[in-house]
Amino acid sequence: MVFVEGMIFPEKLNSLFRAPPLTRARMFLALAIAVAADGLQLLLAEFGWFGLDQAIDCVAMVLISWSIGFHVLFLPTFVVELVPLLEDLPTWTACTAAVIVLRKREQNQTPPPAAPPDKPVIDV
């Protein structure tokens, strides 16, 4: 069990929200899904079928979250896709690119070196 901000999550549930390590294949797959979702919505916007855009959004969010892991930025993107004129913007592509940049930045951060145990630490 993991204790996080007053809540205890079982390991199985915690592992669902843990982001997998980014690889080129995962990034390419996530961006391809986002571009395909935005392209489909743009092409099918002429027909105005009720519910089709929302189904594409649901599938896009699930598949992108599966490929690069869930991120909080996907939620506002999903809500923005429900607004009639804003749904024509490439929001899934932009959000996926932003999440990839944020995740790469997280992965590239190196932890500070630990102080050697035999020398005293001077706090200033």
Side-chain angles (χ1 to χ4, degrees):
M1 295 244 172
V2 176
F3 185 73
V4 179
E5 296 179 359
M7 297 180 71
I8 297 176
F9 292 113
E11 279 300 318
K12 191 171 189 176
L13 183 62
N14 192 28
S15 67
L16 289 175
F17 292 107
R18 191 172 297 134
L22 282 182
T23 61
R24 286 185 189 261
R26 284 184 185 273
M27 291 186 291
F28 180 77
L29 179 64
L31 282 173
I33 293 167
V35 168
D38 286 334
L40 270 174
Q41 286 182 333
L42 192 59
L43 289 174
L44 298 177
E46 305 296 324
F47 299 111
W49 292 334
F50 178 73
L52 185 62
D53 284 342
Q54 288 77 18
I56 292 171
D57 291 332
C58 289
V59 170
M61 185 169 171
V62 168
L63 290 177
I64 293 170
S65 295
W66 173 76
S67 63
I68 59 172
F70 179 77
H71 196 277
V72 177
L73 286 178
F74 292 144
L75 295 176
T77 302
F78 184 76
V79 171
V80 164
E81 286 289 334
L82 298 175
V83 178
L85 292 178
L86 293 178
E87 68 185 359
D88 293 335
L89 297 173
T91 52
W92 284 116
T93 305
C95 181
T96 303
V99 169
I100 287 174
V101 168
L102 291 172
R103 292 265 165 85
K104 288 294 277 185
R105 193 175 295 163
E106 284 176 10
Q107 286 183 359
N108 290 338
Q109 285 181 348
T110 57
D118 59 336
K119 295 186 180 181
V121 177
I122 300 174
D123 235 357
V124 179

